[in-house]
Amino acid sequence: MEKKTGKVWLVGAGPSDPGLFTLKGKAVLEQAEVVVYDALAGQGVLSMIPPRAERIDVGKRSCHHTMVQEKINELLAEKALEGKRVVRLKGGDPFLFGRGGEELELLTRYGIPYEIVPGVTSALSVPAYQGIPVTHRDFCSSVHIITGHKRAGQSYDIDFEALVRIRGTLVFLMGVSSLGDICRGLLDAGIDPGMPAALLIQGTTAHQQRIVAEVATLEEEVKRQGARTPAIIVVGEVCRLAEQFGWYEKQPLGGVKVLLTRPQERMGVTASKLRSLGAEVLEVPAIRTVKKEHNQKLYQALDTLADYRWIAFTSPAGARIFFEEMEAGKIDMRRLANIKMAVIGPGTGQELEKRGIYPDLIPDIYDGEHLGLALAAHCKPGERILIPRAAVGSKELTDALEAKELAFDDIATYDTEYETSGLVDIQKECTEGGIDYVVFTSASTVRGFAAAASLADYTGIKAVCIGKQTKTAADALGMRTWMAEKATIDSLVQRLVEVHCEENK
């Protein structure tokens, strides 16, 4: 049988903010079998790489290449010839100083199919996130994007005089190490020494920074304040508008980087709420739920549903797995007609509501202890309770039921396992000041985070916790902790906003 040839997609990841990743790029990435990615792709986009995909880091940050370009070209062809769906994930746009054309040459030679998925370029998005419109009718009518990179030992192949004559906004990419040469080239070509200029650092991230000066003084000002990469250089009258039009840091969580630790399947809503308030969110699941296979205890409970008066769900995962097993066993939902449903909180209740079932009981305080107390108050003698939940569950729940001598079956339906990301160095993120807050939605996420971070000292971690048990787990590690007023995601997010405001008064 003839061997099937795969396909390569050159995908632009945008500047860093995952909200600027295109819909097509995300759809292609989700189907990838191999992802060859750059350092500039951005952590938020890298977290979208499916766990099943082979992930190959080729570096490609200024002056620091894990793999030379020729080897990258060969790697793409090799993986495609194995019949794989290959995504070449590149920061910004693959055809704007991204060497995408070079990567296509070898693919074309081998007859390998490919597609190009354009990305949002930092040349436009980074100034926008700093309040700098690259064109403005009162200042200029054109924008020019120039590579600031030059080969070692060689002079610029740039007509600085032509750039000055055009009088448009100039955007130099990859030019941080050559900032002095660029400014001198413009000054020698006759640009007004007082022309506004800016170095925009780590654009579209929580820790973005701008250094605004004049062409004649920008290099000196950057030396004084210090430069980091990635960064771009913008030259033009429009730089005067940065202070007036700046918007990113004015959001409630603008300038805040949050590490989110909850399971991947529960991450989306929380991350979306935080991003809508301006936070940069790093999604690093600390735990995952693994359904117990061949669960005879659960199967027996499902066969004898008529024996139960109540079913108590302590998590969305527990509820989801319970109904999945009912469906797998072809058990008619009508068999639940005479059974009452108790849930630990609104999030778990939503899992029931997806199936047209509304909880009969939600405790005032959303934790295991208060769910147990509420059940004990509502259950009558002789009524049996089914509790399908995690293998390691809250003992306070069952203690409350035992105290009332109520009958129950506590059945483990899933295990909670710690998870680590091969794409994000959590220890480095925490120790080098990249993370402002860590958000925890359960005690198990605290323990999973600790296992992944392996820090010698957790006192520098600012932890915003959803409830008492979660906070207790974080306190035990010495973290600085705050707790949401209610054990809901909305309350958790609101508490984070309050903490940030308090700390920045």
Side-chain angles (χ1 to χ4, degrees):
M1 183 181 293
E2 185 178 349
K3 190 174 181 180
K4 181 183 177 182
T5 300
K7 183 173 178 177
V8 177
W9 285 261
L10 267 60
V11 178
S16 188
D17 185 342
L20 299 180
F21 190 36
T22 68
L23 292 173
K24 183 171 184 180
K26 185 174 184 291
V28 168
L29 185 60
E30 287 171 347
Q31 299 301 315
E33 294 173 294
V34 180
V35 181
V36 180
Y37 64 93
D38 287 350
L40 292 175
Q43 293 172 325
V45 176
L46 291 179
S47 69
M48 299 179 190
I49 297 176
R52 67 181 182 278
E54 180 183 0
R55 299 172 289 188
I56 304 173
D57 179 5
V58 295
K60 300 288 287 178
R61 192 181 285 277
S62 178
C63 301
H64 300 285
H65 293 184
T66 302
M67 186 181 293
V68 297
Q69 186 63 54
E70 291 73 21
K71 291 293 184 182
I72 296 173
N73 302 345
E74 293 170 5
L75 176 64
L76 296 176
E78 174 190 327
K79 292 297 180 180
L81 290 171
E82 291 175 2
K84 305 286 182 60
R85 297 171 58 90
V86 183
V87 168
R88 174 69 175 102
L89 191 62
K90 306 168 75 70
D93 180 272
F95 275 8
L96 184 62
F97 306 136
R99 304 184 74 172
E102 295 176 46
E103 294 173 347
L104 293 186
E105 290 174 0
L106 193 61
L107 300 179
T108 303
R109 193 183 312 159
Y110 282 105
I112 296 170
Y114 59 83
E115 283 188 36
I116 313 302
V117 182
V120 176
T121 173
S122 61
L124 305 180
S125 56
V126 169
Y129 269 50
Q130 293 281 9
I132 299 175
V134 291
T135 63
H136 189 292
R137 65 183 300 175
D138 293 338
F139 299 113
C140 65
S141 57
S142 64
V143 58
H144 310 272
I145 304 170
I146 311 105
T147 177
H149 177 73
K150 65 176 181 178
R151 295 188 178 183
Q154 297 186 13
S155 59
Y156 273 120
D157 184 21
I158 295 176
D159 189 341
F160 284 105
E161 291 184 358
L163 292 176
V164 171
R165 284 197 306 273
I166 290 171
R167 301 174 122 184
T169 300
L170 307 178
V171 181
F172 294 86
L173 304 184
M174 303 175 292
V176 176
S177 60
S178 303
L179 174 62
D181 291 337
I182 292 170
C183 291
R184 281 187 289 276
L186 292 171
L187 289 168
D188 291 345
I191 198 169
D192 179 359
M195 176 67 72
L199 183 72
L200 307 181
I201 301 167
Q202 296 183 343
T204 80
T205 73
H207 300 142
Q208 70 175 28
Q209 176 189 358
R210 65 175 176 264
I211 300 175
V212 181
E214 299 172 346
V215 174
T217 61
L218 183 61
E219 182 183 16
E220 179 183 346
E221 187 62 25
V222 168
K223 287 180 179 178
R224 187 181 71 82
Q225 295 193 37
R228 292 168 287 138
T229 57
I232 70 172
I233 302 163
V234 182
V235 179
E237 294 287 352
V238 289
C239 292
R240 299 185 190 278
L241 300 170
E243 197 64 36
Q244 178 184 352
F245 290 169
W247 60 274
Y248 184 74
E249 289 80 5
K250 295 177 182 177
Q251 299 174 99
L253 293 177
V256 175
K257 187 171 184 178
V258 179
L259 178 64
L260 193 55
T261 58
R262 69 187 322 204
Q264 187 65 58
E265 67 272 13
R266 303 292 299 169
M267 192 83 77
V269 172
T270 312
S272 178
K273 288 178 182 293
L274 291 168
R275 288 184 178 124
S276 71
L277 295 171
E280 178 186 357
V281 180
L282 184 55
E283 299 180 36
V284 185
I287 60 170
R288 60 176 177 169
T289 56
V290 180
K291 182 173 70 174
K292 284 187 173 294
E293 301 293 342
H294 312 298
N295 194 338
Q296 295 302 323
K297 288 186 177 181
L298 179 60
Y299 300 157
Q300 183 177 353
L302 291 174
D303 286 340
T304 57
L305 282 173
D307 293 346
Y308 298 102
R309 181 56 174 163
W310 287 87
I311 302 178
F313 295 107
T314 63
S315 70
R320 174 176 53 80
I321 290 170
F322 176 84
F323 287 107
E324 285 176 354
E325 292 294 351
M326 279 194 68
E327 183 178 350
K330 299 187 182 302
I331 297 172
D332 196 318
M333 291 281 283
R334 286 173 293 186
R335 292 183 60 186
L336 300 173
N338 296 318
I339 301 176
K340 292 187 176 182
M341 301 286 173
V343 297
I344 198 166
T348 305
Q350 288 173 4
E351 283 294 326
L352 273 63
E353 292 170 15
K354 291 177 184 177
R355 297 162 176 84
I357 300 171
Y358 292 86
D360 299 283
L361 178 64
I362 303 178
D364 293 332
I365 299 175
Y366 310 141
D367 61 25
E369 177 186 1
H370 289 86
L371 176 59
L373 292 172
L375 277 167
H378 284 78
C379 286
K380 299 174 182 177
E383 293 183 339
R384 194 167 193 84
I385 306 165
L386 173 60
I387 310 172
R389 61 173 181 165
V392 180
S394 166
K395 193 171 182 298
E396 288 86 351
L397 167 58
T398 51
D399 283 349
L401 300 179
E402 289 174 348
K404 290 287 187 178
E405 298 183 349
L406 293 171
F408 62 87
D409 289 325
D410 187 4
I411 298 178
T413 59
Y414 66 93
D415 291 302
T416 301
E417 297 182 356
Y418 298 153
E419 187 170 23
T420 57
S421 170
L423 295 171
V424 178
D425 186 336
I426 298 179
Q427 185 179 87
K428 184 177 179 181
E429 285 290 328
C430 293
T431 56
E432 296 187 4
I435 300 299
D436 296 299
Y437 301 96
V438 184
V439 169
F440 294 114
T441 55
S442 67
S444 56
T445 61
V446 176
R447 293 188 287 268
F449 167 81
S454 297
L455 300 176
D457 181 6
Y458 289 90
T459 57
I461 301 296
K462 299 177 182 178
V464 183
C465 306
I466 200 167
K468 182 176 67 175
Q469 292 176 344
T470 307
K471 185 177 184 298
T472 299
D475 286 335
L477 291 168
M479 299 180 187
R480 289 183 61 194
T481 60
W482 295 268
M483 189 176 78
E485 182 179 352
K486 294 183 178 180
T488 66
I489 297 303
D490 285 339
S491 182
L492 183 64
V493 170
Q494 180 58 38
R495 187 66 183 122
L496 175 56
V497 173
E498 292 168 356
V499 169
H500 177 59
C501 290
E502 291 165 6
E503 290 207 307
N504 288 272
K505 284 182 179 177

